[in-house]
Amino acid sequence: MTAPTLREWLREGPFTLAMSSGFFGFYAHAGALAALLDAGFAPAGLAGSSAGALVTGLFAGGLSPDAMRDTLTTLRREDFWDPAPGLGLLAGRRFRARLDALTAGGDIARAALPYAASVYDLRARTTRVLREGSLAAAIHASCALPGLFHPVRVGPALYSDGGIADRPGVAGVPAGARLLHHHLTARSPWRRAASASLAPPRRPGAVSVGIAGITRVHPFALERGMTAYREAAAGLRRALASPVADGYVAVS
């Protein structure tokens, strides 16, 4: 039996889109999301961790793909760079202010689509999933990379980056749900083999898309961001025409 292409799999029914963590990988996630929507495939639900929680959260909150692209095009380090003493280099106040503006202070319960953000509970040392409360706070907490950002307090809990224990960003997706997962691939094979947490999910009803060779972005190379955006968009378009093999679509 011939394996279906990703496009054929997507046509079979509603799906949840989950996006993985990945250092400044939000450019690539945004490009992949834009290409998916341009092809006529809109998710019924959204989930993610860290960079993935940022892109899916902004989309859940109503930010259009064009507005997201324009925001990323004009992003500068000064927009989020606010060093301060604490458990991390950056206080995160500038980042949070940007999120508050982009989400219009919205609540997850009133988001355009169901949304689940993976975060790491520092006291309990486990992953939690935020499905209610401030959308900006959930995104902020999921993106609070240790060493870079201070942890984020939401109610009585203190949270850090969701990718610590849920790099794929799928903890908020119910078992058995049809899941499209955009996986930011690790650059080196040894890093991919170092931990099972780095691997895309292998679960019934899930398809992971990995696009190799995307330009890496970091705080001192934001000018590479839109290159990564375009590469991911082109890769997702190629993935749509590629067969799904063992729950995975790999393109370069």
Side-chain angles (χ1 to χ4, degrees):
M1 184 175 178
T2 304
T5 65
L6 179 60
R7 179 178 283 106
E8 290 168 340
W9 182 87
L10 288 168
R11 286 173 176 163
E12 291 175 4
F15 64 92
T16 294
L17 174 65
M19 292 183 152
S20 73
S21 65
F23 190 59
F24 279 73
F26 43 83
Y27 287 96
H29 280 322
L33 174 62
L36 185 69
L37 296 171
D38 284 347
F41 298 109
L46 298 156
S49 62
S50 198
L54 173 62
V55 171
T56 57
L58 292 179
F59 184 61
L63 195 69
S64 71
D66 286 348
M68 197 178 304
R69 181 200 60 219
D70 293 345
T71 297
L72 293 176
T73 300
T74 59
L75 182 66
R76 299 294 179 266
R77 190 170 65 253
E78 295 76 19
D79 295 333
F80 59 87
W81 203 257
D82 56 354
L87 298 176
L89 174 63
L90 306 178
R93 287 187 290 269
R94 290 187 180 183
F95 179 50
R96 180 59 171 273
R98 294 276 292 183
L99 292 175
D100 284 333
L102 290 169
T103 61
D107 191 275
I108 295 174
R110 295 191 294 274
L113 290 169
Y115 172 67
S118 294
V119 297
Y120 187 77
D121 188 322
L122 290 171
R123 291 195 178 96
R125 298 184 181 179
T126 191
T127 296
R128 305 288 189 195
V129 177
L130 300 183
R131 294 189 175 90
E132 58 185 21
S134 165
L135 183 55
I139 298 171
H140 184 190
S142 191
C143 291
L145 182 68
L148 182 63
F149 283 110
H150 295 188
V152 176
R153 186 174 298 280
V154 180
L158 195 63
Y159 295 130
S160 199
D161 193 288
I164 292 174
D166 180 28
R167 186 180 189 275
V170 299
V173 182
R178 294 188 81 245
L179 167 64
L180 176 64
H181 176 248
H182 185 234
H183 172 66
L184 293 176
T185 60
R187 181 181 292 274
S188 58
W190 69 262
R191 187 172 185 269
R192 290 197 298 271
S195 170
S197 68
L198 298 178
R202 288 289 188 266
R203 51 192 283 178
V207 173
S208 284
V209 176
I211 303 167
I214 294 177
T215 297
R216 301 293 164 164
V217 185
H218 59 75
F220 296 93
L222 294 179
E223 70 279 0
R224 302 176 186 170
M226 296 314 295
T227 298
Y229 179 102
R230 291 188 291 271
E231 290 170 347
L236 194 285
R237 288 191 288 269
R238 292 193 297 275
L240 289 170
S242 301
V244 176
D246 191 26
Y248 198 74
V249 177
V251 295
S252 59

